[in-house]
């Protein structure tokens, strides 16, 4: 980290982006319709050859989206021209995932065309919601990591940073989840089946990359033909990233794989025709599908090729852009900052070295200094099973030159360690890029740390644990390289767009400034004692709940009572996130009602939503168990109407946008020390939900910002969890805590799983026999105590809303604008480049 030259401060970014009016886009007054040359009608006619009155919602969606793209294209082009002319330092964000969600309403909002669009929709009696729902979610990511990348793009464009996202154009994004008899089923997400109006293919900017072998994919397996070098072509597909106010429009460039052009059919005999086409199929396999694993590294060969493909295409592209504007290789770090989102793109270290050594002909030391000065790495997890390690053999087969470079980096690094820590051979082995013992592996996190100038975690506690545990030795060797950048989320999508009720209420009180400077929400604090305003905030929540309930009824037929407490846990299903602990809490409340039917308890609806990795058996079982509880409660007249459990299928950005504004309670209950940051916690906070949670990830900082008295924290701390390793036993809690015991007895009696003994056996195994690795039983009692406090507060609506308001007012820190300002100032040394 180059803190001594941090010329730009986060606060320098404030109020850079005052909104522009659409008329200033340089394309005259915008017309979607109204005259015969209205954009909307023209697109219906010329793209789809259909009259407006005959158009279906899909055609209408395409026509509106294309009209919006017309409006932004001049500005988009001008953004790139300005960057070319000004030649500023550019930021490149490399990520295997971008969980974008839908773009139409977000682009309308950021261009501030939403009032205009509304008028068009109203005038034509078009069903706006149905049209917006025609857009498939761009689900090019698994969860938090991919969504973070998407929020960062929004913030960088809004803050006018000359930035670009690089990713892969997966033909199939994260799978669609359906629930059949309580079990998750996966369906392919063929999101590009219909033309996507946002993407622009740029075949003229294709790049070619080389692999040391040929390969083909058969039945999901990668087969390698050794010693037969091959080539792949990356074709860029660009998507506009509209900054709020529409001043800057940056680019997300996604690569699609193809074979080198020139199916020069004349040179193929009849016999070669088929094999040429088959080869083409193999190449396109590279970007066919996103790996649906969250928090594990499965080590498949195709994934390895995908990662290298992203790195090689993106570096070739950015180096070409650099060279077209600059003659001096040594100025690379003055013009280029490359952020690696997790270790997935960390072969960038070897690839950039290769370019500088073999193409630029620089010396090793010069190449090494430039590489480290350009690259920075973000770590996202402490879980050992998520840390990527690739077989050395694969490098040997596919990327022999890169292996040479990695081994030379490692050789020099070992010498450096020995020089600084003489006689500490243990340190050398632990810190080395190569893991010996068994199959030799390349430790991708070590490669990223050694080959970059900055390594950051994503919340204070995570950055600390990263330094103290996961990569302790490297942190000792490079103490100044490690830093923290607490995650954030974009308030444009997660508050302004998804919660019009609350946004309106906030803007009426303090104006619109919060949209680009979320710290402004602090100004709501004096209003906590203004009962009129508190009532307005409560009314906004009530309306959001009604809107959600109406959507749920119409889309799924599920009826929920908006007067109930809406209590949500939505995120990937994982043992460490402890959806199972939430389920046990619900069973405890269920027990209480059955034992004491007269018990006073606010009606409560528990929402779950999330996908399990297809190969993660335990996570799928947790989904089944939750659905069983839901069914059992619905069938129980004593409890029905007082408790309800709803599992919303197919969690995605659009589902999050609907549920989060409607939620009263946010569950953030990971085993302390396991959740790097979390970002759904921040979305809920901004939307006025109260958090019941453990002291983990960014939840700690959220509670600090709002005051712990406005949070419902419970459970073991990370240090306590770590300290209990070796002696923790779930049986102690079973034997000594009557309610815990009653909950387990009921679950293990098969009450919720009548004809499914296998589910019961698995639950017994997770919670008792295998030692309850994630400490469910240790935290259940304190969870229930926190829940009791929460319910008492809910009984006093004004006191509840007062706390909700204090949470909203304290959520400013968790804007991704703040996060990006810190990256820009402390890691990238990048400045805004406004578009005239
Ligand atoms: C925000 C978000 C996440 C991340 O949620 P966590 O609770 O932080 O794990 C995952 N998926 C989607 C669709 C999101 O919007």
């Amino acid at each position: 980290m180059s803190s001594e030259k941090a010329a730009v401060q986060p606060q320098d970014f404030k109020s850079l982006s005052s909104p522009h009016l659409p008329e200033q886009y340089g394309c005259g007054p915008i017309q979607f319709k109204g005259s015969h040359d209205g954009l909307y009608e023209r697109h219906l006619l010329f793209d789809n050859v259909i009259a407006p009155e005959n158009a279906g919602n899909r055609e209408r969606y395409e026509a509106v989206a294309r009209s919006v793209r017309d409006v932004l294209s001049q500005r988009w082009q001008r953004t790139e021209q300005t960057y070319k002319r000004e030649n500023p330092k550019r930021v490149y964000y490399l990520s295997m995932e971008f969980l974008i969600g839908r773009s139409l309403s977000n682009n309308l909002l950021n261009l501030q065309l939403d009032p205009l669009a509304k008028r068009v929709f109203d005038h034509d009696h078009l069903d706006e919601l149905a049209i917006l729902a025609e857009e498939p979610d761009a689900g090019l990511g698994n969860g938090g990591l991919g969504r973070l990348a998407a929020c960062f793009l929004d913030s960088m464009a809004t803050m006018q940073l000359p930035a670009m996202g690089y990713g892969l154009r997966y033909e199939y994004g994260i799978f669609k989840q359906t629930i059949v008899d309580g079990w998750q089923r996966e369906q392919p997400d063929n999101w590009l089946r219909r033309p996507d109006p946002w993407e622009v293919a740029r075949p003229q900017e294709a790049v070619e990359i080389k692999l040391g072998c040929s390969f083909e994919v058969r039945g999901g397996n990668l087969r390698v033909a050794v010693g037969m070098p091959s080539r792949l072509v990356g074709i860029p597909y660009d998507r506009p990233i509209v900054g709020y106010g529409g001043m800057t429009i940056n680019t997300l460039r996604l690569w699609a794989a193809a074979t080198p052009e020139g199916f020069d059919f004349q040179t193929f005999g009849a016999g070669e025709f088929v094999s040429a086409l088959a080869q083409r199929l193999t190449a396109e396999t590279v970007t066919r599908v996103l790996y649906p694993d969250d928090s594990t590294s499965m080590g498949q060969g195709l994934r390895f090729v995908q990662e290298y493909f992203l790195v090689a295409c993106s570096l070739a592209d950015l180096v070409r852009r650099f060279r077209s504007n600059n003659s001096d290789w040594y100025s690379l770090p003055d013009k280029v900052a490359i952020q690696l989102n997790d270790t997935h793109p960390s072969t960038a270290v070897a690839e950039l070295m290769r370019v500088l050594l073999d193409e630029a002909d620089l010396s090793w030391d010069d190449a090494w200094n430039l590489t480290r000065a350009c690259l920075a790495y973000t770590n996202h997890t402490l879980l050992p099973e998520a840390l990527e390690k690739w077989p050395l053999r694969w490098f040997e087969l596919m990327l022999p030159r890169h292996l040479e470079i990695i081994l030379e980096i490692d050789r020099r690094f070992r010498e450096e360690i020995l020089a600084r820590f003489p006689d500490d051979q243990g340190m050398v082995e632990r810190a080395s890029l190569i893991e010996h013992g068994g199959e030799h592996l390349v430790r991708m996190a070590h490669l990223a740390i050694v080959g970059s100038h900055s390594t950051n975690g994503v919340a204070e506690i995570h950055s600390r644990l990263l330094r103290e545990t996961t990569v302790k030795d490297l942190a000792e060797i490079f103490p100044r390289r490690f830093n923290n950048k607490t995650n954030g989320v974009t308030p444009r999508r997660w508050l302004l767009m998804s919660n019009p009720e609350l946004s309106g209420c906030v803007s009426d009180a303090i104006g619109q400034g919060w949209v680009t400077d979320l710290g402004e929400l602090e100004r709501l604090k004096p209003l906590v004692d203004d009962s009129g305003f508190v009532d307005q905030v409560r009314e906004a929540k009530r309306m959001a709940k009604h809107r959600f309930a109406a959507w749920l009824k119409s889309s799924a037929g599920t009826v929920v009572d908006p007067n109930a407490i809406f209590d949500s846990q939505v995120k990937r299903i994982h043992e460490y996130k402890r959806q199972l602990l939430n389920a046990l809490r619900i069973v405890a409340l269920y027990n209480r009602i059955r034992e004491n039917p007269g018990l006073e308890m606010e009606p409560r609806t528990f929402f779950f939503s999330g996908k399990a990795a297809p190969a993660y058996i335990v996570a799928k079982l947790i989904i089944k168990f939750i659905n069983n509880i839901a069914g059992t409660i619905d069938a129980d007249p004593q409890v029905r109407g007082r408790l309800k459990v709803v599992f919303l299928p197919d969690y995605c950005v659009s589902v999050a946008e609907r549920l989060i504004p409607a939620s009263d309670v946010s569950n953030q209950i990971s085993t302390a020390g396991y959740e790097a940051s979390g970002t759904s916690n921040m979305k809920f906070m901004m939307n006025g939900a109260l958090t019941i949670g453990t002291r983990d990830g960014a939840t700690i900082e959220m509670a600090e910002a709002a005051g712990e008295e406005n949070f419902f924290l419970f459970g073991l701390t990370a240090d306590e969890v770590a300290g209990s390793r070796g002696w923790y036993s779930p049986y102690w809690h079973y034997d000594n805590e009557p309610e815990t015991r009653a909950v387990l007895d009921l679950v293990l009696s098969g009450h919720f799983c009548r004809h499914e003994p296998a589910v019961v056996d698995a639950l017994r195994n997770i919670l008792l026999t295998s030692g309850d690795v994630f400490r469910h039983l240790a935290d259940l009692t304190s969870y229930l105590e926190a829940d009791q406090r929460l319910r008492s507060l809910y009984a006093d609506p004004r006191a509840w809303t007062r706390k909700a308001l204090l949470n909203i007012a304290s959520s400013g820190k968790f804007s991704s604008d703040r996060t990006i300002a810190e990256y820009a100032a402390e890691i990238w040394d990048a400045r805004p480049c406004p578009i005239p």
Side-chain angles (χ1 to χ4, degrees):
M1 188 174 84
S2 51
S3 52
E4 45 301 348
K5 58 168 181 173
V8 190
Q9 293 302 314
Q11 55 270 24
D12 296 341
F13 286 91
K14 278 191 182 166
S15 52
L16 271 170
S17 39
S18 67
H20 266 204
L21 293 171
E23 279 75 16
Q24 292 174 266
Y25 286 55
C27 40
I30 293 150
Q31 292 183 309
F32 280 168
K33 71 162 292 348
S35 62
H36 62 89
D37 61 352
L39 286 174
Y40 168 70
E41 287 166 346
R42 282 214 325 224
H43 278 293
L44 279 179
L45 181 61
F46 295 128
D47 301 342
N48 290 78
V49 196
I50 198 164
E53 58 274 23
N54 295 329
N57 282 338
R58 170 68 204 190
E59 286 88 25
R60 288 174 177 155
Y61 157 68
E62 279 179 28
V64 175
R66 290 225 162 85
S67 309
V68 173
R69 211 186 85 184
D70 291 349
V71 172
L72 64 78
S73 35
Q74 260 184 343
R75 192 82 200 166
W76 191 8
Q77 230 228 88
R78 193 180 303 164
T79 301
E80 188 48 41
Q81 280 169 351
T82 305
Y83 295 163
K84 239 189 199 115
R85 191 181 60 242
E86 301 291 324
N87 194 19
K89 181 168 187 179
R90 301 210 201 200
V91 174
Y92 296 103
Y93 197 81
L94 265 63
S95 178
M96 286 288 281
E97 304 190 9
F98 287 91
L99 194 50
I100 301 166
R102 292 182 175 137
S103 293
L104 177 53
S105 30
N106 194 246
N107 287 347
L108 281 170
L109 181 96
N110 280 11
L111 290 164
Q112 296 176 329
L113 289 173
D114 43 320
L116 193 71
K118 194 157 222 69
R119 257 181 281 140
V120 175
F121 287 128
D122 289 349
H123 182 273
D124 279 16
H125 306 292
L126 298 177
D127 183 347
E128 177 177 1
L129 292 180
I131 291 172
L132 295 176
E134 284 292 326
E135 179 173 6
D137 261 53
L140 309 181
N142 277 287
L145 175 145
R147 186 52 233 173
L148 184 78
C151 283
F152 279 6
L153 293 180
D154 180 273
S155 285
M156 291 188 290
T158 297
M159 295 159 75
Q160 308 186 355
L161 282 171
M164 190 161 182
Y166 278 122
L168 294 183
R169 182 178 179 269
Y170 302 108
E171 252 170 81
Y172 295 87
I174 187 69
F175 62 85
K176 296 262 168 227
Q177 179 197 56
T178 57
I179 302 295
V180 178
D181 191 26
W183 294 99
Q184 166 175 299
R185 291 280 166 81
E186 300 96 26
Q187 245 86 54
D189 161 40
N190 192 357
W191 72 296
L192 292 171
R193 192 173 51 239
R194 313 240 220 163
D196 185 305
W198 303 114
E199 67 175 17
V200 182
R202 299 201 188 276
Q204 70 281 9
E205 295 186 45
V207 299
E208 194 175 285
I209 68 158
K210 296 189 180 72
L211 289 169
C213 62
S214 306
F215 65 91
E216 56 179 4
V217 178
R218 287 248 180 99
N221 293 319
L222 192 73
R223 298 221 205 155
V224 174
V226 186
M228 290 180 58
S230 64
R231 293 170 303 158
L232 279 173
V233 169
I235 300 173
Y237 285 76
D238 289 352
R239 307 174 74 84
I241 305 297
V242 181
Y244 185 73
M247 302 212 287
T248 289
I249 300 183
N250 282 336
T251 299
L252 168 59
R253 176 159 279 197
L254 301 178
W255 298 101
T259 37
E261 266 322 303
F263 283 118
D264 183 1
F265 286 107
Q266 271 117 24
T267 67
F268 285 108
E272 286 154 330
F273 178 78
V274 170
S275 70
L277 285 177
Q279 189 195 338
R280 182 184 162 108
L281 274 179
T282 302
E284 286 164 0
T285 307
V286 171
T287 49
R288 181 132 311 147
V289 58
L290 165 79
Y291 276 95
D293 305 293
D294 182 66
S295 314
T296 41
S297 170
M298 303 284 275
Q300 282 104 339
L302 184 58
R303 169 75 176 193
F304 179 75
V305 176
Q306 284 187 336
E307 294 183 352
Y308 177 65
F309 181 72
L310 167 67
V311 162
C313 293
S314 308
L315 290 193
D317 192 51
L318 70 86
V319 165
R320 178 173 60 192
R321 190 174 300 112
F322 167 77
R323 294 291 287 166
S324 74
N325 265 335
N326 307 276
S327 50
D328 181 7
W329 281 102
Y330 294 94
S331 65
L332 193 67
D334 304 327
K335 297 297 172 187
V336 167
I338 302 167
Q339 191 69 35
L340 308 176
N341 195 23
D342 215 330
T343 53
H344 315 147
S346 57
T347 43
V349 174
E351 175 70 4
L352 190 52
M353 282 298 285
R354 186 192 65 76
V355 169
L356 295 174
L357 290 169
D358 301 353
E359 294 177 18
D361 266 331
L362 300 185
S363 71
W364 179 277
D365 287 340
D366 286 346
W368 185 235
N369 288 335
L370 294 177
T371 295
R372 282 181 306 165
C374 289
L375 293 174
Y377 156 61
T378 303
N379 173 284
H380 282 272
T381 178
L382 307 169
L383 300 182
E385 66 267 30
L387 290 180
E388 288 186 304
K389 292 170 191 173
W390 292 113
L392 201 116
R393 171 107 189 107
W394 291 5
F395 279 93
E396 204 168 272
L397 287 173
M398 295 186 230
L399 306 171
R401 175 61 178 142
H402 297 77
L403 180 60
E404 249 172 42
I405 292 171
I406 289 170
L407 292 177
E408 178 60 14
I409 296 172
D410 191 52
R411 190 188 66 76
R412 290 168 179 247
F413 181 45
R414 285 163 167 268
E415 271 181 6
E416 184 188 327
I417 304 172
L418 268 185
R420 282 180 51 194
F421 304 85
D423 309 323
D424 198 346
Q425 193 58 36
M427 169 78 110
V428 174
E429 291 310 323
R430 290 191 307 271
S432 159
L433 306 191
I434 311 295
E435 188 167 299
H436 301 280
E439 189 179 18
H440 291 192
L441 301 169
V442 180
R443 295 165 169 153
M444 302 308 280
H446 292 210
L447 178 62
I449 294 167
V450 174
S452 64
H453 69 278
S454 162
T455 294
N456 74 282
V458 290
E460 291 288 352
I461 184 179
H462 166 67
S463 296
R464 173 174 74 82
L465 293 174
L466 186 65
R467 276 185 274 109
E468 291 176 356
T469 62
T470 317
V471 289
K472 188 166 177 289
D473 300 299
L474 290 163
E476 205 178 318
I477 298 168
F478 306 117
R480 286 159 41 79
R481 216 167 271 193
F482 283 76
N483 66 98
N484 173 251
K485 297 287 167 279
T486 300
N487 283 167
V489 300
T490 169
R492 270 74 64 185
R493 183 178 288 266
W494 295 111
L495 183 50
L496 184 62
M497 184 181 98
S498 61
N499 197 343
E501 295 87 359
L502 181 60
S503 310
C505 185
V506 168
S507 293
D508 286 347
I510 60 168
Q512 284 264 349
W514 61 270
V515 175
T516 50
D517 179 6
L518 204 63
E520 291 261 309
L521 293 179
E522 283 281 334
R523 292 173 50 209
L524 294 170
K525 281 196 176 157
L527 298 175
V528 293
D529 297 316
D530 175 340
S531 59
F533 184 68
V534 171
D535 288 344
Q536 280 174 35
V537 171
R538 189 159 82 242
E539 176 61 12
K541 180 62 79 181
R542 197 188 66 80
M543 282 161 55
K545 290 171 80 172
H546 276 266
R547 179 163 58 89
F548 175 78
W551 169 77
L552 189 61
K553 180 152 183 263
S554 71
S555 64
T558 306
V559 176
V560 293
D561 174 11
N563 296 313
I565 303 176
F566 280 9
D567 181 300
S568 303
Q569 187 179 16
V570 290
K571 48 185 79 242
R572 286 296 287 240
I573 310 293
H574 202 290
E575 287 167 278
Y576 87 77
K577 291 179 183 277
R578 292 202 295 192
Q579 281 90 357
L580 197 47
L581 177 61
N582 191 347
L584 296 179
R585 171 184 63 147
I586 296 167
V587 172
L589 299 177
Y590 171 83
N591 256 345
R592 286 185 196 176
I593 292 175
R594 295 200 337 149
E595 271 166 21
N596 178 7
L599 185 70
E600 286 252 0
M601 203 190 283
E602 290 281 344
R604 189 97 175 255
T605 301
F606 299 94
F607 293 98
F608 290 86
S609 196
K611 294 174 184 175
Y616 191 171
I617 311 279
V618 171
K620 291 174 122 172
L621 194 120
I622 292 169
I623 293 176
K624 170 65 175 165
F625 180 51
I626 290 166
N627 280 307
N628 281 6
I629 296 175
T632 307
I633 288 179
D634 279 346
D636 187 337
Q638 224 173 22
V639 184
R640 188 168 57 211
R642 306 185 62 181
L643 300 181
K644 184 167 181 66
V645 176
V646 176
F647 189 97
L648 301 166
D650 201 37
Y651 186 53
C652 59
V653 171
S654 297
V655 169
E657 285 165 6
R658 290 189 173 280
L659 179 61
I660 290 171
S663 296
D664 299 300
V665 179
S666 160
N667 284 269
Q668 305 297 338
I669 57 175
S670 51
T671 314
Y674 282 85
E675 186 73 272
S677 160
T679 46
S680 79
N681 46 3
M682 303 168 184
K683 302 167 196 167
F684 279 106
M685 184 190 195
M686 276 174 205
N687 281 278
L690 295 188
T691 303
I692 183 166
T694 45
R695 291 174 176 84
D696 201 14
T699 303
I700 297 173
E701 290 160 69
M702 287 162 43
E704 218 167 77
E708 287 212 1
E709 67 284 8
N710 298 308
F711 261 63
F712 297 91
L713 295 179
F714 70 90
L716 299 179
T717 63
D719 291 342
E720 286 166 347
V721 170
S724 72
R725 249 165 233 146
W727 59 262
Y728 171 73
S729 165
Y731 291 101
W732 188 92
H733 297 278
Y734 181 81
D735 291 337
N736 292 284
E737 296 170 350
E739 188 161 34
T740 300
R741 184 189 196 106
V743 165
L744 253 82
D745 284 345
L746 189 67
V747 169
L748 300 182
S749 76
H751 181 80
F752 300 99
C753 312
R754 292 249 178 250
H755 306 291
E756 294 154 327
V759 177
V760 175
D761 287 346
L763 290 170
R764 180 184 299 107
N765 188 40
I766 300 165
L767 293 171
L768 291 172
T769 332
S770 289
D772 184 22
V773 175
F774 292 96
R775 308 295 195 271
H776 296 87
L777 300 201
D779 281 348
L780 181 57
T781 301
S782 58
Y783 190 17
L784 286 165
E785 282 163 11
D787 196 75
Q788 181 69 52
R789 281 183 271 137
L790 188 139
R791 272 176 288 127
S792 318
L793 183 69
Y794 199 80
D796 179 350
R798 194 161 278 161
W800 176 279
T801 307
R802 196 174 174 278
K803 277 204 196 311
L805 185 50
L806 279 170
N807 268 269
I808 298 166
S810 310
S811 68
K813 172 177 171 188
F814 305 100
S815 165
S816 44
D817 298 350
R818 186 270 313 151
T819 314
I820 286 298
E822 292 177 4
Y823 274 90
E826 297 164 14
I827 298 178
W828 303 330
D829 194 22
R831 284 142 234 277
C833 177
I835 312 306

